Amino acid sequence: MRTNRSSPIIALLLATLVFTSCKGTSSGTSAAPGTTPSNANAPTPQPAPNQADAASSQGPVAPPQLAGTYVMSEVQEKGGVLNIISENKTVIHFDADGSYSRASSNKGRLYHTDSGDYRIEGSDKLVLTIRMSKGGSENKIHNPPLQKPHQFTLSSNGEELRMTSSDGNVALFRRIARVQK
């Protein structure tokens, strides 16, 4: 009598498939009679459309979010003079919860920090609410907090931030890190 050695392997594979497919549809607890599992109304996965179809079927695309860490690379003065930032560095981090922190250094030596909250008003006004700052050896808690409005633009991909100060100077920041959600 001849035995088939592949039969136990096939049976093991089938048992594994049945087990994993049952495990994928159960939630680990049994539902009461007459109720549906919590994921019963979840959308079924659809194949990914190509890029052209995705752009046309999604409708308007949400504006980029001001979230992540940006470093200042240049400043354009009101008169048109462009200053490339090399020794001075300003890094600003915007978090998804509406908080920010900023640090400025010269030749690697920290000389100013501030932190607080930010909000966007309309489509082009960024308001920094400075709650704490440190310059040199002086720590300050601002009560009431300072409000510093800036005109701003954010590139369509969120990688470039331009902030215009009240005196007309434009600081160009480039994103170096994204906020992890």
Side-chain angles (χ1 to χ4, degrees), residues 62-68 70 94-96 118 120 152 154-159 175 178-179 181:
Q65 297 297 310
L66 183 61
Y70 294 81
F94 296 99
D95 215 339
Y118 74 94
I120 297 172
F152 87 105
L154 189 61
S155 64
S156 61
N157 61 4
E159 297 296 316
R175 184 161 55 189
R178 296 177 184 269
V179 169
K181 294 181 181 180

mmCIF file of all heavy atoms in Angstrom, residues 62-68 70 94-96 118 120 152 154-159 175 178-179 181:
data_model
loop_
_atom_site.group_PDB
_atom_site.id
_atom_site.type_symbol
_atom_site.label_atom_id
_atom_site.label_comp_id
_atom_site.label_asym_id
_atom_site.label_seq_id
_atom_site.Cartn_x
_atom_site.Cartn_y
_atom_site.Cartn_z
ATOM 1 N N ALA A 62 -7.671 68.683 0.414
ATOM 2 C CA ALA A 62 -7.534 69.472 1.636
ATOM 3 C C ALA A 62 -6.235 70.274 1.588
ATOM 4 O O ALA A 62 -5.234 69.797 1.064
ATOM 5 C CB ALA A 62 -7.527 68.551 2.844
ATOM 6 N N PRO A 63 -6.256 71.484 2.134
ATOM 7 C CA PRO A 63 -5.028 72.281 2.126
ATOM 8 C C PRO A 63 -3.963 71.606 2.978
ATOM 9 O O PRO A 63 -4.284 70.855 3.898
ATOM 10 C CB PRO A 63 -5.477 73.612 2.740
ATOM 11 C CG PRO A 63 -6.695 73.297 3.521
ATOM 12 C CD PRO A 63 -7.352 72.144 2.822
ATOM 13 N N PRO A 64 -2.703 71.870 2.686
ATOM 14 C CA PRO A 64 -1.639 71.257 3.488
ATOM 15 C C PRO A 64 -1.723 71.752 4.926
ATOM 16 O O PRO A 64 -2.166 72.869 5.192
ATOM 17 C CB PRO A 64 -0.360 71.727 2.802
ATOM 18 C CG PRO A 64 -0.750 72.936 2.058
ATOM 19 C CD PRO A 64 -2.190 72.757 1.666
ATOM 20 N N GLN A 65 -1.320 70.916 5.832
ATOM 21 C CA GLN A 65 -1.366 71.258 7.251
ATOM 22 C C GLN A 65 -0.023 71.813 7.702
ATOM 23 O O GLN A 65 1.023 71.337 7.300
ATOM 24 C CB GLN A 65 -1.700 70.014 8.071
ATOM 25 C CG GLN A 65 -3.067 69.443 7.766
ATOM 26 C CD GLN A 65 -4.181 70.410 8.105
ATOM 27 O OE1 GLN A 65 -4.227 70.949 9.188
ATOM 28 N NE2 GLN A 65 -5.071 70.642 7.160
ATOM 29 N N LEU A 66 -0.085 72.812 8.546
ATOM 30 C CA LEU A 66 1.108 73.398 9.135
ATOM 31 C C LEU A 66 1.464 72.544 10.346
ATOM 32 O O LEU A 66 1.025 72.794 11.460
ATOM 33 C CB LEU A 66 0.837 74.844 9.551
ATOM 34 C CG LEU A 66 2.008 75.623 10.129
ATOM 35 C CD1 LEU A 66 3.130 75.731 9.104
ATOM 36 C CD2 LEU A 66 1.567 76.998 10.557
ATOM 37 N N ALA A 67 2.200 71.479 10.105
ATOM 38 C CA ALA A 67 2.601 70.568 11.177
ATOM 39 C C ALA A 67 3.944 69.973 10.808
ATOM 40 O O ALA A 67 4.134 69.487 9.703
ATOM 41 C CB ALA A 67 1.557 69.474 11.355
ATOM 42 N N GLY A 68 4.861 70.045 11.736
ATOM 43 C CA GLY A 68 6.192 69.520 11.497
ATOM 44 C C GLY A 68 7.244 70.488 11.987
ATOM 45 O O GLY A 68 6.946 71.485 12.653
ATOM 46 N N TYR A 70 10.326 73.000 10.936
ATOM 47 C CA TYR A 70 10.817 73.821 9.833
ATOM 48 C C TYR A 70 12.080 74.542 10.275
ATOM 49 O O TYR A 70 12.192 74.963 11.424
ATOM 50 C CB TYR A 70 9.769 74.860 9.429
ATOM 51 C CG TYR A 70 8.511 74.279 8.840
ATOM 52 C CD1 TYR A 70 7.507 73.768 9.649
ATOM 53 C CD2 TYR A 70 8.321 74.235 7.462
ATOM 54 C CE1 TYR A 70 6.352 73.231 9.110
ATOM 55 C CE2 TYR A 70 7.162 73.702 6.915
ATOM 56 C CZ TYR A 70 6.186 73.200 7.750
ATOM 57 O OH TYR A 70 5.045 72.670 7.214
ATOM 58 N N PHE A 94 5.763 72.991 14.758
ATOM 59 C CA PHE A 94 4.325 73.123 14.930
ATOM 60 C C PHE A 94 3.759 71.732 15.170
ATOM 61 O O PHE A 94 3.974 70.828 14.365
ATOM 62 C CB PHE A 94 3.681 73.711 13.663
ATOM 63 C CG PHE A 94 4.137 75.109 13.355
ATOM 64 C CD1 PHE A 94 5.126 75.335 12.416
ATOM 65 C CD2 PHE A 94 3.565 76.196 13.994
ATOM 66 C CE1 PHE A 94 5.553 76.615 12.114
ATOM 67 C CE2 PHE A 94 3.981 77.487 13.705
ATOM 68 C CZ PHE A 94 4.976 77.698 12.764
ATOM 69 N N ASP A 95 3.045 71.567 16.277
ATOM 70 C CA ASP A 95 2.456 70.274 16.583
ATOM 71 C C ASP A 95 0.986 70.278 16.175
ATOM 72 O O ASP A 95 0.364 71.337 16.069
ATOM 73 C CB ASP A 95 2.588 69.966 18.081
ATOM 74 C CG ASP A 95 2.804 68.506 18.349
ATOM 75 O OD1 ASP A 95 2.469 67.672 17.488
ATOM 76 O OD2 ASP A 95 3.308 68.182 19.437
ATOM 77 N N ALA A 96 0.441 69.093 15.967
ATOM 78 C CA ALA A 96 -0.942 68.968 15.520
ATOM 79 C C ALA A 96 -1.938 69.456 16.575
ATOM 80 O O ALA A 96 -3.063 69.807 16.241
ATOM 81 C CB ALA A 96 -1.238 67.517 15.142
ATOM 82 N N TYR A 118 -0.360 78.222 18.534
ATOM 83 C CA TYR A 118 -0.535 78.918 17.258
ATOM 84 C C TYR A 118 -1.937 78.660 16.747
ATOM 85 O O TYR A 118 -2.583 77.674 17.109
ATOM 86 C CB TYR A 118 0.511 78.490 16.230
ATOM 87 C CG TYR A 118 0.300 77.107 15.641
ATOM 88 C CD1 TYR A 118 -0.405 76.933 14.446
ATOM 89 C CD2 TYR A 118 0.787 75.975 16.282
ATOM 90 C CE1 TYR A 118 -0.597 75.670 13.909
ATOM 91 C CE2 TYR A 118 0.597 74.718 15.759
ATOM 92 C CZ TYR A 118 -0.096 74.575 14.568
ATOM 93 O OH TYR A 118 -0.299 73.322 14.043
ATOM 94 N N ILE A 120 -4.411 79.622 12.998
ATOM 95 C CA ILE A 120 -4.472 80.205 11.665
ATOM 96 C C ILE A 120 -5.809 80.910 11.533
ATOM 97 O O ILE A 120 -6.853 80.322 11.811
ATOM 98 C CB ILE A 120 -4.300 79.124 10.584
ATOM 99 C CG1 ILE A 120 -2.906 78.503 10.726
ATOM 100 C CG2 ILE A 120 -4.517 79.696 9.189
ATOM 101 C CD1 ILE A 120 -2.662 77.308 9.851
ATOM 102 N N PHE A 152 1.374 84.627 6.234
ATOM 103 C CA PHE A 152 2.140 83.438 5.877
ATOM 104 C C PHE A 152 1.547 82.773 4.653
ATOM 105 O O PHE A 152 0.380 82.966 4.314
ATOM 106 C CB PHE A 152 2.198 82.448 7.056
ATOM 107 C CG PHE A 152 1.038 81.489 7.116
ATOM 108 C CD1 PHE A 152 1.197 80.166 6.739
ATOM 109 C CD2 PHE A 152 -0.211 81.905 7.538
ATOM 110 C CE1 PHE A 152 0.141 79.278 6.783
ATOM 111 C CE2 PHE A 152 -1.275 81.027 7.590
ATOM 112 C CZ PHE A 152 -1.093 79.706 7.216
ATOM 113 N N LEU A 154 1.948 78.727 2.754
ATOM 114 C CA LEU A 154 2.474 77.373 2.861
ATOM 115 C C LEU A 154 2.369 76.748 1.482
ATOM 116 O O LEU A 154 1.323 76.843 0.829
ATOM 117 C CB LEU A 154 1.649 76.576 3.879
ATOM 118 C CG LEU A 154 2.162 75.218 4.294
ATOM 119 C CD1 LEU A 154 3.535 75.317 4.952
ATOM 120 C CD2 LEU A 154 1.181 74.556 5.253
ATOM 121 N N SER A 155 3.449 76.148 1.017
ATOM 122 C CA SER A 155 3.441 75.538 -0.317
ATOM 123 C C SER A 155 2.395 74.426 -0.370
ATOM 124 O O SER A 155 1.950 73.906 0.658
ATOM 125 C CB SER A 155 4.827 74.983 -0.665
ATOM 126 O OG SER A 155 5.170 73.930 0.218
ATOM 127 N N SER A 156 1.999 74.052 -1.570
ATOM 128 C CA SER A 156 0.929 73.062 -1.742
ATOM 129 C C SER A 156 1.276 71.705 -1.140
ATOM 130 O O SER A 156 0.391 70.966 -0.748
ATOM 131 C CB SER A 156 0.592 72.907 -3.228
ATOM 132 O OG SER A 156 1.734 72.446 -3.931
ATOM 133 N N ASN A 157 2.558 71.384 -1.021
ATOM 134 C CA ASN A 157 2.940 70.109 -0.411
ATOM 135 C C ASN A 157 3.324 70.267 1.058
ATOM 136 O O ASN A 157 3.708 69.296 1.710
ATOM 137 C CB ASN A 157 4.081 69.448 -1.186
ATOM 138 C CG ASN A 157 5.345 70.286 -1.216
ATOM 139 O OD1 ASN A 157 5.423 71.349 -0.603
ATOM 140 N ND2 ASN A 157 6.335 69.800 -1.935
ATOM 141 N N GLY A 158 3.255 71.484 1.599
ATOM 142 C CA GLY A 158 3.557 71.738 3.004
ATOM 143 C C GLY A 158 5.030 71.775 3.335
ATOM 144 O O GLY A 158 5.401 71.873 4.498
ATOM 145 N N GLU A 159 5.888 71.740 2.332
ATOM 146 C CA GLU A 159 7.333 71.672 2.571
ATOM 147 C C GLU A 159 7.986 73.037 2.744
ATOM 148 O O GLU A 159 9.085 73.125 3.273
ATOM 149 C CB GLU A 159 8.022 70.922 1.428
ATOM 150 C CG GLU A 159 7.589 69.473 1.283
ATOM 151 C CD GLU A 159 7.949 68.612 2.484
ATOM 152 O OE1 GLU A 159 9.088 68.729 2.978
ATOM 153 O OE2 GLU A 159 7.087 67.837 2.933
ATOM 154 N N ARG A 175 10.630 72.517 5.576
ATOM 155 C CA ARG A 175 10.304 71.443 6.517
ATOM 156 C C ARG A 175 11.412 70.398 6.526
ATOM 157 O O ARG A 175 11.851 69.944 5.485
ATOM 158 C CB ARG A 175 8.962 70.798 6.181
ATOM 159 C CG ARG A 175 8.572 69.743 7.205
ATOM 160 C CD ARG A 175 7.127 69.394 7.228
ATOM 161 N NE ARG A 175 6.636 68.984 5.939
ATOM 162 C CZ ARG A 175 5.340 68.802 5.682
ATOM 163 N NH1 ARG A 175 4.443 68.984 6.602
ATOM 164 N NH2 ARG A 175 4.954 68.426 4.489
ATOM 165 N N ARG A 178 8.307 65.713 9.598
ATOM 166 C CA ARG A 178 6.852 65.716 9.673
ATOM 167 C C ARG A 178 6.403 65.312 11.068
ATOM 168 O O ARG A 178 7.105 64.608 11.766
ATOM 169 C CB ARG A 178 6.251 64.734 8.672
ATOM 170 C CG ARG A 178 6.530 65.115 7.234
ATOM 171 C CD ARG A 178 5.966 64.050 6.291
ATOM 172 N NE ARG A 178 6.297 64.349 4.934
ATOM 173 C CZ ARG A 178 5.534 65.073 4.118
ATOM 174 N NH1 ARG A 178 4.401 65.550 4.546
ATOM 175 N NH2 ARG A 178 5.921 65.302 2.884
ATOM 176 N N VAL A 179 5.203 65.730 11.441
ATOM 177 C CA VAL A 179 4.626 65.334 12.727
ATOM 178 C C VAL A 179 4.099 63.921 12.594
ATOM 179 O O VAL A 179 3.403 63.597 11.624
ATOM 180 C CB VAL A 179 3.476 66.292 13.135
ATOM 181 C CG1 VAL A 179 2.713 65.737 14.307
ATOM 182 C CG2 VAL A 179 4.028 67.660 13.453
ATOM 183 N N LYS A 181 1.619 61.068 13.500
ATOM 184 C CA LYS A 181 0.241 61.043 14.009
ATOM 185 C C LYS A 181 -0.019 59.841 14.836
ATOM 186 O O LYS A 181 0.519 58.839 14.782
ATOM 187 C CB LYS A 181 -0.745 61.089 12.857
ATOM 188 C CG LYS A 181 -0.665 62.398 12.129
ATOM 189 C CD LYS A 181 -1.645 62.477 11.017
ATOM 190 C CE LYS A 181 -1.520 63.796 10.298
ATOM 191 N NZ LYS A 181 -2.423 63.969 9.227
#
